[in-house]
Amino acid sequence: MDTLQLAFLFISIVASPICQADEMDEDYTWHIKKIPHIVSSDIINLKNPSYEAEPQLELNGTCGIECQRNLPLPSLADLEEYLSYETIYDNGTRTMTRVNVQDWHPETEMGREKPKHSRRKRHVYGTDSRFSISDKQFMTNYPFSTAVKLSSGCSGILISPKHVLTAAHCIHDGKDYIKSAKKLRVGLLKIKSDRGGKRRRGSKRGREDASEESPKKDGRKQRRKSVQKRSAAEEQANSLSGKERGSGAGKPSFQWTRVKAIQIAKGWFRDVSHNMSLDYDYSVLELKRPHKKKYMELGISPEAEKMPGSRVHFSGFDEDRPGQLVYRFCSISEQSKDLFYQYCDAEAGSSGSGIYIRLKEPNKKKWRRKIIAVYSGHQWVDVNNQQLDYNVAVRITPLKYAQICYWIHGNHDNCKQG
């Protein structure tokens, strides 16, 4: 099957459930909700981290949905403790910001979980249903272009011109920052140029060279050297076959950007939230320089029944398919107020991917994609006093939306509705 046929097959698979849902149910809409306010109350300087933790591909001993049924609901004071956050900067300095939560309405956060279907086991279920996005037109265009790769081995998603949403365990193991977080970088997909390394006219180096004045004798020497180098380069290029010369052109690669700051909620730290740390497995990375790609907006996670086909989508960089962007979609199996269990086929490397859905805008016929969860990955969870493995995602609740929005904008004025 050629690329064009695969593209049409891919579009038909993704588009068909949405079209059917539009015809059968008119309530698949983004509902505007009033968002609680997250306000910083105190900032404390901390000592520099040691960066001694090893990355964890699987988390053990976390409290799953069954376990959470037996836990008391957190108080406002508990939530303010969990939502207080740590910021670590690229120079190694670290701060803890305490927060106050205002205009919080427990009924919007504390809905009880609704069991759905029986769950299956493992992170790839039978036939592998993942799609490798190899066509550069798909890979570098929205929504697939919002997926990014972390130098720590995880994935993430662009949520602003300078911010990436990912999983907290990709940065921190619950006790300390992992070794690769010290010089963390984010890779954005781009297509290699076919210019063969030629420098553009008017480039910085060219302008600098042109501005330098040198004696005529030195100028003649430089011209002779340039002619010799150019002749040698042309001779070498002519000796290559057309296939060898064009092998790098048009292929995807990563443009790597350093991370300026990392923010993680205290709820992720094991000594703070204990069994509930999985609920806070999310982190925001601030990039050193802005990108020019289209990013995806945040949304508040609806109940699975409010999604077309109870279906979610996400793309990431699975380790078993190096150099490929991998897309998948699946239905939600079970949910709590903070977690999704789902059947999406995924492998290590896809953790931190942004899970999104597509709903209609209020009072409009236009559909819009928004991020509603972060893929935490393959997790071992407590079920009836046994450790079982499932694929888990952390839902974006109104409180988490308020916190992530606050991290992006630095104030709550831009985060009043979600």
Side-chain angles (χ1 to χ4, degrees):
M1 189 179 294
D2 61 26
T3 303
L4 186 59
Q5 290 175 315
L6 282 171
F8 281 120
L9 174 63
F10 173 74
I11 292 171
S12 64
I13 291 173
V14 176
S16 59
I18 295 174
C19 296
Q20 293 169 5
D22 191 19
E23 295 173 356
M24 293 186 298
D25 197 322
E26 292 296 322
D27 194 35
Y28 292 136
T29 304
W30 292 112
H31 293 286
I32 297 175
K33 294 185 178 181
K34 187 176 180 181
I35 303 301
H37 291 169
I38 302 290
V39 182
S40 62
S41 62
D42 191 19
I43 299 177
I44 303 168
N45 291 319
L46 304 175
K47 67 177 183 180
N48 293 4
S50 56
Y51 296 104
E52 293 180 350
E54 296 290 342
Q56 289 185 303
L57 299 181
E58 296 181 352
L59 302 182
N60 298 314
T62 56
C63 184
I65 290 176
E66 289 80 1
C67 167
Q68 289 183 357
R69 289 193 179 107
N70 300 319
L71 295 177
L73 296 176
S75 65
L76 178 60
D78 291 333
L79 290 172
E80 289 179 339
E81 177 72 1
Y82 301 156
L83 293 169
S84 294
Y85 60 92
E86 199 167 282
T87 304
I88 183 165
Y89 300 93
D90 56 345
N91 61 2
T93 58
R94 182 168 54 142
T95 62
M96 174 63 68
T97 303
R98 300 186 189 279
V99 303
N100 292 328
V101 177
Q102 302 174 354
D103 296 330
W104 174 65
H105 303 285
E107 65 274 8
T108 64
E109 292 277 341
M110 300 303 179
R112 292 294 181 179
E113 61 270 14
K114 300 176 181 179
K116 286 178 61 61
H117 312 293
S118 60
R119 290 170 296 175
R120 287 175 281 178
K121 206 176 176 187
R122 283 309 288 179
H123 44 298
V124 169
Y125 308 96
T127 302
D128 194 341
S129 60
R130 294 173 294 168
F131 296 87
S132 289
I133 310 299
S134 56
D135 188 284
K136 63 182 181 181
Q137 297 300 325
F138 281 119
M139 188 180 296
T140 57
N141 283 286
Y142 189 85
F144 305 113
S145 58
T146 61
V148 299
K149 184 177 179 63
L150 274 60
S151 57
S152 62
C154 288
S155 299
I157 189 165
L158 299 173
I159 56 174
S160 90
K162 288 191 69 175
H163 294 88
V164 169
L165 179 65
T166 188
H169 79 262
C170 297
I171 313 297
H172 194 287
D173 73 346
K175 294 183 178 180
D176 188 18
Y177 290 87
I178 64 173
K179 295 176 181 178
S180 56
K182 190 171 185 178
K183 295 182 179 180
L184 190 65
R185 297 181 301 155
V186 170
L188 282 69
L189 274 173
K190 67 172 187 176
I191 300 299
K192 289 182 180 179
S193 169
D194 59 357
R195 289 183 287 108
K198 293 181 181 179
R199 188 171 298 277
R200 292 180 291 108
R201 288 186 178 182
S203 65
K204 183 176 180 181
R205 186 179 296 177
R207 290 194 301 269
E208 290 174 352
D209 292 344
S211 64
E212 293 177 359
E213 294 183 1
S214 58
K216 292 183 179 180
K217 186 175 181 181
D218 291 341
R220 287 194 295 272
K221 289 182 179 179
Q222 290 294 334
R223 283 194 293 274
R224 284 198 298 271
K225 290 180 180 179
S226 297
V227 170
Q228 291 170 357
K229 288 181 179 179
R230 190 161 57 247
S231 299
E234 289 172 353
E235 184 178 349
Q236 182 179 1
N238 291 332
S239 66
L240 295 174
S241 67
K243 182 178 180 180
E244 290 173 325
R245 287 198 303 270
S247 60
K251 287 190 175 182
S253 62
F254 289 103
Q255 179 179 359
W256 294 96
T257 301
R258 291 288 300 273
V259 171
K260 180 180 178 180
I262 301 169
Q263 291 170 313
I264 299 178
K266 281 185 69 178
W268 171 246
F269 302 153
R270 295 180 190 174
D271 59 346
V272 175
S273 60
H274 304 291
N275 288 334
M276 294 178 64
S277 61
L278 180 58
D279 297 353
Y280 297 89
D281 188 12
Y282 58 92
S283 174
V284 168
L285 315 177
E286 182 182 355
L287 305 179
K288 267 201 164 183
R289 62 174 184 267
H291 60 84
K292 296 181 180 179
K293 292 179 176 287
K294 183 178 179 180
Y295 59 87
M296 195 174 294
E297 296 179 14
L298 292 174
I300 294 174
S301 173
E303 298 298 313
E305 296 81 7
K306 299 294 184 180
M307 307 175 193
S310 300
R311 186 166 291 149
V312 294
H313 311 252
F314 66 98
S315 302
F317 297 93
D318 300 43
E319 281 188 356
D320 65 330
R321 299 190 183 184
Q324 299 182 39
L325 176 63
V326 182
Y327 163 81
R328 73 228 78 196
F329 64 92
C330 65
S331 296
I332 298 298
S333 168
E334 194 169 342
Q335 61 191 339
S336 72
K337 65 181 180 62
D338 284 290
L339 301 177
F340 281 142
Y341 285 166
Q342 32 77 15
Y343 298 157
C344 287
D345 290 333
E347 289 286 352
S350 59
S351 295
S353 299
I355 291 180
Y356 62 89
I357 60 173
R358 190 180 178 190
L359 299 179
K360 289 187 296 183
E361 293 185 353
N363 303 317
K364 296 181 181 179
K365 293 184 178 181
K366 184 178 180 181
W367 293 74
R368 181 183 295 274
R369 295 179 181 89
K370 291 185 181 181
I371 306 162
I372 60 160
V374 179
Y375 179 54
S376 185
H378 175 230
Q379 309 282 4
W380 289 88
V381 298
D382 294 324
V383 180
N384 298 325
N385 297 319
Q386 292 182 330
Q387 285 280 297
L388 299 180
D389 55 338
Y390 299 104
N391 284 351
V392 183
V394 179
R395 297 176 66 179
I396 298 178
T397 62
L399 275 174
K400 291 172 186 173
Y401 180 98
Q403 183 179 57
I404 295 170
C405 188
Y406 182 80
W407 285 345
I408 295 172
H409 298 287
N411 61 73
H412 62 77
D413 291 337
N414 297 317
C415 309
K416 294 180 179 179
Q417 291 184 333

